[in-house]
Amino acid sequence: MKKTLMLITMLSALNVSQGFAENTKFITYDSAALEYNKDNLNNKAEALSTLIAKADKALKADIDPVTNKTLLPASGDPHDYFSFGPYWWPNPDTKDGLPYIRRDGEYNMATKTAATDKQRFIRFTKDVTNLGLAYYFTGKNDYASKAIDQLKAWFIDQETRMNPNLNHAQAIPGIVDGRGIGIIDSRLLIGVVDSVEILKAQLTSEQYTAINNWFKEFNTWLITSNNGFEEDNWHNNHGTWYDAQVVAFAIFTGDLDTAKKRLRVTQMRRIGTQFNMHGQQHAELERTKPWHYSNFNLQAYSLLGHYGDVVGIDVWNYEVDKHSLKKGYQYVAKYTIAPEEWDYKELKGFQASKAYTNMLYANKAYNDPIFSDAISELKKDKANQKNIQNLLFK
């Protein structure tokens, strides 16, 4: 913390102003909130300290591209992303363990090894997201340089780049070589495109164009592939996160017509079916971790609400037959204030803090004191005071 306060003082004294492209377009971030917080970092010192610690760790991380895996997908192409379904386990009733069987909510740690891509992909996306934000708030060129090296390895370098598809995501041994449900993995790319925009002035025009084209190809795959079709038709968090990805990548690549059409799908297909008149999400509440999944789904809606603001489609206030997104946030807010009243069985216990980011978004979107009350309650947890999300909201 002392190191962070010293950095804040130094930045203020030097009035550091690193160059950003004039046409920088923030996708997920609120530019006014970012600018305000950058000018008032003393008020966000704890969150900045968390961000710097993560960015400093990312500086030391090896570049670990998709081609480093030791197991190959069914295609045989090391450039194809490859992961296993996390809730699937060897079959105890067969000698070879095939076909795998599902145990909802129980994470098979064997799916997290470096033999496949999920963990390296998570590290890459989170590192680039944190490095981009750290560069924005500190102007430290080391953060930008490391993020760009990562971006080149994953999207540009022909020897290491990832193919723009998830044909082999969340495969299940003995059952399927890849599933539409695996598209949930690529939601983490949303933070990456925001960092690309922050770093735009530091990228060459060729590099920026190459990355932008990668996302155009990936979004085309999302919209036209069989896997994308399957994911689009899920009526739970998978469908919502599919929408969030398509919209984010469409905005990033300048395809606003696609973004608007997809947000209309969010309004008409998702909200009315996923939330009942009390704001409950039955598809999430029936899971073994209902609080986690209720908030996980709302995290996608938080992004979609913001994207609607960007392109002029009101997702926040959409209502059909008394089913509304606002009621979904209110339902969750109620239990952040009174967690002892949550009466659903939780596989791994109730963690109120999972609602924190959603409450920040809801507090900004709605004039309802329940959300500010929820934030006040959640901020009693020291971890929420240090949350990087505090840097994204005034």
Side-chain angles (χ1 to χ4, degrees):
M1 178 61 71
K2 289 183 179 179
K3 179 182 177 182
T4 304
L5 292 173
M6 289 175 62
L7 176 60
I8 292 171
T9 302
M10 185 171 65
L11 291 174
S12 299
L14 295 175
N15 192 25
V16 173
S17 179
Q18 71 272 33
F20 291 104
E22 290 184 4
N23 59 340
T24 295
K25 57 178 186 293
F26 291 108
I27 299 156
T28 304
Y29 305 147
D30 180 337
S31 59
L34 285 183
E35 291 170 11
Y36 177 85
N37 289 332
K38 188 175 181 180
D39 291 338
N40 296 273
L41 283 175
N42 282 323
N43 297 330
K44 305 287 183 174
E46 290 181 294
L48 183 63
S49 178
T50 301
L51 175 62
I52 289 173
K54 290 180 180 292
D56 286 346
K57 183 178 179 180
L59 284 178
K60 301 173 184 176
D62 293 333
I63 305 296
D64 186 20
V66 69
T67 49
N68 277 3
K69 60 177 162 283
T70 55
L71 289 178
L72 290 180
S75 66
D77 188 344
H79 295 271
D80 282 337
Y81 175 87
F82 184 33
S83 68
F84 290 125
Y87 298 150
W88 291 81
W89 295 73
N91 190 332
D93 297 326
T94 61
K95 289 183 178 180
D96 60 2
L98 301 178
Y100 272 34
I101 60 172
R102 188 169 187 263
R103 287 154 54 177
D104 185 37
E106 297 184 45
Y107 211 110
N108 182 352
M109 299 305 289
T111 67
K112 287 189 170 187
T113 72
T116 54
D117 292 317
K118 184 171 184 178
Q119 291 307 303
R120 64 173 47 86
F121 183 76
I122 290 172
R123 286 191 298 270
F124 154 67
T125 55
K126 290 187 175 181
D127 282 355
V128 170
T129 300
N130 290 328
L131 288 164
L133 278 172
Y135 173 64
Y136 177 86
F137 283 110
T138 70
K140 186 175 178 180
N141 286 324
D142 286 353
Y143 295 144
S145 296
K146 184 63 179 233
I148 291 170
D149 286 344
Q150 291 275 23
L151 293 169
K152 288 191 292 187
W154 280 82
F155 300 129
I156 300 174
D157 189 333
Q158 293 299 316
E159 296 297 318
T160 61
R161 73 191 290 270
M162 174 181 160
N163 289 333
N165 69 70
L166 261 67
N167 288 323
H168 304 287
Q170 291 207 20
I172 305 171
I175 298 180
V176 66
D177 295 330
R179 299 179 294 161
I181 206 169
I183 289 171
I184 200 78
D185 290 5
S186 55
R187 74 190 185 279
L188 296 174
L189 288 172
I190 292 172
V192 171
V193 295
D194 280 296
S195 285
V196 172
E197 284 300 320
I198 288 173
L199 298 165
K200 188 172 183 179
Q202 310 303 316
L203 292 161
T204 67
S205 60
E206 292 79 12
Q207 289 170 339
Y208 181 83
T209 298
I211 296 168
N212 199 274
N213 285 340
W214 190 96
F215 278 94
K216 285 180 182 177
E217 292 183 51
F218 185 66
N219 226 20
T220 297
W221 178 84
L222 284 175
I223 294 167
T224 62
S225 66
N226 286 334
N227 284 12
F229 177 78
E230 290 176 10
E231 192 74 340
D232 183 13
N233 282 282
W234 277 95
H235 296 295
N236 62 5
N237 65 82
H238 278 269
T240 320
W241 276 108
Y242 174 85
D243 287 359
Q245 291 184 64
V246 170
V247 176
F249 305 148
I251 293 173
F252 174 58
T253 58
D255 185 2
L256 298 188
D257 284 344
T258 293
K260 291 177 182 179
K261 288 176 183 177
R262 179 49 51 177
L263 285 166
R264 291 290 287 146
V265 170
T266 300
Q267 289 177 321
M268 295 185 289
R269 284 182 56 193
R270 309 290 183 208
I271 292 174
T273 59
Q274 290 187 7
F275 299 91
N276 67 14
M277 289 186 291
H278 304 290
Q280 296 166 302
Q281 305 169 58
H282 285 305
E284 313 306 335
L285 291 172
E286 67 184 14
R287 302 291 296 272
T288 58
K289 298 186 290 185
W291 179 252
H292 163 80
Y293 278 106
S294 292
N295 279 285
F296 184 54
N297 194 32
L298 280 179
Q299 286 171 14
Y301 278 107
S302 294
L303 299 179
L304 288 161
H306 174 74
Y307 299 150
D309 292 342
V310 172
V311 301
I313 302 290
D314 188 0
V315 174
W316 296 116
N317 298 298
Y318 186 82
E319 183 173 327
V320 56
D321 297 331
K322 298 183 179 180
H323 298 243
S324 71
L325 183 57
K326 182 177 181 179
K327 288 180 181 177
Y329 284 102
Q330 289 172 326
Y331 179 79
V332 166
K334 177 172 64 174
Y335 295 103
T336 66
I337 296 169
E340 69 280 358
E341 296 181 10
W342 183 257
D343 57 3
Y344 289 90
K345 184 179 179 180
E346 293 284 341
L347 181 66
K348 296 185 178 180
F350 182 91
Q351 295 176 289
S353 62
K354 288 185 178 293
Y356 185 61
T357 299
N358 291 324
M359 295 300 98
L360 291 174
Y361 274 101
N363 189 49
K364 180 183 176 185
Y366 303 113
N367 183 26
D368 188 329
I370 193 172
F371 300 120
S372 57
D373 290 346
I375 292 170
S376 295
E377 186 65 31
L378 290 169
K379 277 193 172 179
K380 293 177 182 178
D381 182 344
K382 191 72 173 177
N384 288 327
Q385 297 174 30
K386 298 178 178 180
N387 196 312
I388 292 172
Q389 289 294 318
N390 292 328
L391 291 165
L392 308 181
F393 294 85
K394 288 185 179 179

